[in-house]
Amino acid sequence: MEKVRKETTPRTPRWSRELLNLRKIQDTLAKQKKYSEAQKTKQQADQMEIREHGAWKAKRDAKIGAMEDQFLRKQNLEMHGL
């Protein structure tokens, strides 16, 4: 089961275009020394990242759960077959 947890895709979250764009805007504003605007953008991006990470984790956990159930059913059938 550890092998499944390590190898199940997606291993890392894929961030949305909107989030990546907010991060670029944040960097640009910081370079322009507009720190208050950069901070607001950072807060928006952080909230979006938390939501996307939660969705990614839920999707991955569901996939791992389904694979685990399938493995247990297969193992149970093999035990009853013997």
Side-chain angles (χ1 to χ4, degrees):
M1 291 314 298
E2 282 190 38
K3 180 182 176 187
V4 169
R5 291 192 189 283
K6 288 180 184 178
E7 296 179 0
T8 299
T9 56
R11 292 181 209 159
T12 57
R14 291 187 50 92
W15 306 118
S16 68
R17 180 178 292 183
E18 297 158 359
L19 176 62
L20 297 175
N21 189 31
L22 281 175
R23 293 293 186 198
K24 284 182 185 178
I25 292 170
Q26 172 191 340
D27 290 340
T28 304
L29 289 172
K31 288 178 185 176
Q32 294 175 353
K33 298 184 180 184
K34 297 180 181 178
Y35 300 117
S36 62
E37 293 177 35
Q39 182 183 12
K40 290 176 186 175
T41 305
K42 181 184 182 315
Q43 289 173 347
Q44 287 177 336
D46 288 345
Q47 291 174 353
M48 187 179 288
E49 185 175 332
I50 289 170
R51 284 193 308 266
E52 288 183 12
H53 189 270
W56 166 80
K57 185 161 177 45
K59 182 179 178 182
R60 186 171 190 270
D61 288 345
K63 189 173 184 179
I64 289 173
M67 291 175 77
E68 187 175 342
D69 288 344
Q70 182 182 11
F71 173 77
L72 291 175
R73 263 189 260 117
K74 183 177 177 183
Q75 194 175 38
N76 195 14
L77 286 173
E78 288 177 358
M79 284 179 51
H80 288 305
L82 294 175

